Amino acid sequence: MMTSAASAASVAPAASATAATAATAATAATSTPAPALASTSARPASASPLSTLSHSMSLDGKTVLITGAASGLGASLARVLGEAGATVVGVDIQAGQLSDGMAALRERGVDARGFAADLADPYDAARAVDAALDGNGRLDILINNAGTDIALPLDELSDSDWQRVIGTNLNAPFVLARQAASAMRRQGGGHIVNIASTAAKRAWPNATAYHASKWGLLGLSHALHAELRPFGIRVTAVVAGGMRTPFLLERFPELDTAALQDPNDVADAIRSVLLLPASAVVAELTILPLRETSWP
C-alpha cells in the first residue's frame, strides 16, 4: 500500500509504545506596583528579561517550508510553528486536503499558504523552494517531512515502486536542501530539519525501499550538518518513533493507538529545537513513545 506526502516516521508492525512528551507553559501574575524609586541604573523596559524571553520563544518573522503538510506530523508542525509566529508554506501531493488545512490555519490567524507538488519529481521539489522565496523573500526553516512507503516483499517490489519511495523520501530532501541552503547562505543562516524514523536505525521485513530511504536520509542529514554549519545553517535529523498518524495507521490498522505518540508532541519537540540560540544545534533528536519496546 502506498501513502504519499504524509508523516515520514514509522515503526515495525509489532512495535508497542505510548505517547510521552513534555509540554511547556508559562504564567505571569501582576499586582499593584509600589511607588517607583528613581534610579540611574534602572533597566530599560525593552531590555527586560521577560521581553527577551518572550522574543526568544517566538518564530516571528521566520518563514518555514513544511513538506507533507496536509496531514499527520506535517499538519501538526504547520499548526505549532504557525502559532509560534512563523509564516507557513505547506507542500503536499494531496492538493485539496492541503488547501483545507492552510485555510484552517489562516482562520486561526496564521500566515499560511499551500503549494501542491509531487516531490518525487525533482522539478516540483525545486519549485517548492522557489515558491516560498517568491512569496516571502526568504526561507528560514525547511522541514523535510513528506514520505511514502510501499510495503511488499523484495520479489514483489517493482522498479517503479523503488523509485517512488526513494524519490519521495530521499531524493526530494536532497533537492529541497540544496535549493534551500543556497538561499540560506545568502541570508547568513537557516535551519534544515529532516524527519527520519526508527527505520533509520533498525529493520523489519517487507520494507526494503523504506529502510533504504530512511537510513539514507539520516546519513544525508549528518553530511549536511558537517558541510553547512560553517555558513550558519543548522541541520537536525529527527528519529521519530510511532505516531498516531494516517501514514502509520492506514498501513497497520491493528496497532494500539494508545501505544503511539501524539504527533503534536513531536511537533512541540521540534519547535524547541528551532528556538535554540543560533550558536547551538541539535544534530540528531530521538523522540519515542514511552513504552516502545522495540527500541532502547
Side-chain angles (χ1 to χ4, degrees):
M1 175 181 177
M2 181 176 75
T3 306
S4 294
S7 169
S10 176
V11 295
S16 173
T18 187
T21 329
T24 58
T27 58
T30 58
S31 57
T32 304
L37 298 177
S39 172
T40 57
S41 60
R43 186 198 307 267
S46 60
S48 71
L50 286 179
S51 65
T52 302
L53 177 61
S54 176
H55 178 75
S56 70
M57 297 301 290
S58 169
L59 293 174
D60 285 345
K62 304 289 187 183
T63 297
V64 54
L65 175 62
I66 304 169
T67 69
S71 63
L73 177 59
S76 292
L77 283 164
R79 181 189 60 78
V80 167
L81 301 185
E83 290 178 352
T87 294
V88 174
V89 180
V91 181
D92 207 291
I93 196 171
Q94 304 294 338
Q97 192 173 357
L98 176 66
S99 178
D100 291 344
M102 295 299 104
L105 287 178
R106 289 193 294 273
E107 290 178 359
R108 298 169 70 108
V110 175
D111 185 358
R113 60 192 177 90
F115 180 81
D118 179 359
L119 296 176
D121 180 345
Y123 176 70
D124 265 14
R127 287 176 58 236
V129 174
D130 291 340
L133 291 169
D134 291 344
N136 300 88
R138 62 183 296 114
L139 178 58
D140 301 282
I141 302 163
L142 165 66
I143 303 183
N144 285 314
N145 168 72
T148 189
D149 185 19
I150 301 175
L152 289 172
L154 180 61
D155 57 359
E156 297 179 24
L157 193 70
S158 68
D159 290 348
S160 61
D161 292 337
W162 174 270
Q163 294 297 341
R164 164 56 63 177
V165 176
I166 297 297
T168 303
N169 297 3
L170 182 56
N171 292 348
F174 162 72
V175 173
L176 288 157
R178 182 178 62 188
Q179 293 287 107
S182 178
M184 291 174 180
R185 284 189 189 192
R186 294 192 298 271
Q187 295 167 189
H191 204 142
I192 298 171
V193 178
N194 297 305
I195 307 299
S197 162
T198 53
K201 299 280 192 173
R202 55 197 174 103
W204 52 86
N206 302 328
T208 305
Y210 189 73
H211 283 297
S213 70
K214 290 303 178 181
W215 284 68
L217 181 59
L218 184 59
L220 172 66
S221 191
H222 281 285
L224 293 173
H225 163 70
E227 183 170 342
L228 298 178
R229 61 194 302 189
F231 304 99
I233 301 172
R234 300 183 287 175
V235 182
T236 300
V238 177
V239 177
M243 291 177 280
R244 294 191 293 273
T245 63
F247 180 77
L248 185 58
L249 295 174
E250 287 177 359
R251 292 178 301 147
F252 308 116
E254 73 280 3
L255 289 175
D256 178 6
T257 57
L260 301 172
Q261 58 190 341
D262 188 334
N264 291 318
D265 294 340
V266 179
D268 283 338
I270 293 170
R271 177 186 57 186
S272 297
V273 169
L274 294 173
L275 289 171
L276 287 172
S279 57
V281 59
V282 175
E284 182 176 319
L285 170 69
T286 299
I287 178 166
L288 308 170
L290 185 60
R291 294 198 336 252
E292 184 161 347
T293 58
S294 60
W295 189 250

